[in-house]
């Protein structure tokens, strides 16, 4: 059941994240709290508690400093992506220091990208972050898919990474198509062909 909830929140972020920054902030905060706690294999109730704390804290902070909302949303998305990356690249027992370095580095880089490129960067970041949540949730639904949560080196790590990239690209394409106007992407119809401006 917990896996389905994470999949649904991840799908909201991956395929609808750029539409509403409030929903994106709540989903990113929940995902970040969940992923950070999940690095240490806690109980399900602790995971939900950390997820809820992350969602509320993220929303409050972003609301208080709305002027810097793109920067903060980018940082949250980057931290979520960093937590997933730390989980994928480490096998066995997780190293807290290495995880913290990866999470902070990706969060800072994503925050600056979001501040500079706004919606286009957030489009990528919400797609990547949402895809990571979907895979984590799917990994919780059955033992067969557990490798999507904590892939072991070899083919499982490769498949999990390819699935992450493919799902991220799918989320990017769907959001770009649905919310092109919000992103400033103009689509012109010439005969039967559509020419679209390139999106970052």
């Amino acid at each position: 059941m917990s896996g389905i909830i994470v999949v649904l929140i991840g799908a909201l972020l991956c395929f609808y994240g750029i539409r509403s920054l409030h929903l994106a902030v709540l989903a990113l905060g929940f995902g970040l709290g969940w992923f950070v706690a999940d690095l240490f294999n806690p109980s399900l109730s602790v995971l939900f508690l950390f997820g809820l704390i992350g969602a509320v804290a993220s929303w409050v902070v972003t609301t208080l400093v709305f002027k810097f909302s793109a920067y903060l949303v980018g940082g949250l998305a980057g931290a979520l992506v960093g937590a997933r990356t730390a989980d994928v690249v480490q096998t066995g027992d997780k190293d807290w220091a290495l995880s913290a370095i990866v999470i902070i580095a990706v969060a800072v880089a994503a925050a600056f990208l979001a501040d500079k490129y706004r919606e286009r960067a957030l489009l990528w970041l919400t797609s990547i972050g949402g895809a990571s949540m979907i895979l984590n949730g799917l990994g919780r639904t059955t033992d067969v898919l557990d490798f999507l949560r904590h892939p072991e080196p070899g083919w499982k790590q490769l498949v999990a990474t390819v699935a992450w990239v493919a799902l991220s690209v799918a989320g990017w394409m769907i959001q770009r198509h649905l919310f092109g106007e919000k992103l400033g992407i103009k689509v012109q119809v010439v005969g039967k062909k559509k020419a679209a401006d390139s999106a970052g």
Side-chain angles (χ1 to χ4, degrees):
M1 183 62 181
S2 65
I4 300 299
I5 293 170
V6 176
V7 168
L8 292 175
I9 294 172
L12 172 73
L13 185 60
C14 185
F15 301 111
Y16 198 76
I18 198 69
R19 179 66 180 93
S20 168
L21 282 184
H22 290 288
L23 285 176
V25 166
L26 289 169
L28 285 166
F30 182 90
L32 178 58
W34 181 282
F35 269 94
V36 169
D38 194 42
L39 286 170
F40 305 100
N41 296 316
S43 67
L44 183 60
S45 58
V46 171
L47 284 172
F48 274 108
L49 179 63
F50 269 76
L52 291 174
I53 289 171
V56 172
S58 300
W59 188 79
V60 168
V61 169
T62 304
T63 302
L64 290 175
V65 286
F66 189 73
K67 182 178 179 183
F68 303 103
S69 63
Y71 187 85
L72 289 171
V73 173
L76 284 171
L80 177 61
V81 172
R84 171 67 181 176
T85 303
D87 193 29
V88 169
V89 298
Q90 296 182 77
T91 57
D93 292 335
K94 308 300 182 197
D95 182 349
W96 170 251
L98 177 61
S99 298
I101 290 169
V102 171
I103 292 168
I104 291 169
V106 178
V108 169
F112 281 108
L113 286 172
D115 189 48
K116 183 169 183 175
Y117 298 107
R118 301 287 176 177
E119 286 86 0
R120 291 179 185 247
L122 292 175
L123 171 64
W124 274 109
L125 292 169
T126 56
S127 298
I128 296 168
S132 65
M133 289 180 69
I134 291 170
L135 293 176
N136 186 283
L138 286 174
R140 291 179 171 280
T141 58
T142 175
D143 290 341
V144 175
L145 297 176
D146 185 58
F147 73 93
L148 292 174
R149 262 181 72 212
H150 303 297
E152 296 171 8
W155 72 268
K156 291 181 178 180
Q157 200 168 32
L158 178 64
V159 170
T161 303
V162 169
W164 190 16
V165 171
L167 199 52
S168 299
V169 171
W172 175 83
M173 291 173 65
I174 289 171
Q175 287 196 74
R176 185 178 182 273
H177 177 73
L178 291 176
F179 311 118
E181 185 176 316
K182 181 179 177 99
L183 297 165
I185 300 167
K186 297 177 182 174
V187 179
Q188 299 173 340
V189 178
V190 181
K192 293 185 178 180
K193 295 182 180 179
K194 293 183 179 179
D197 292 345
S198 60

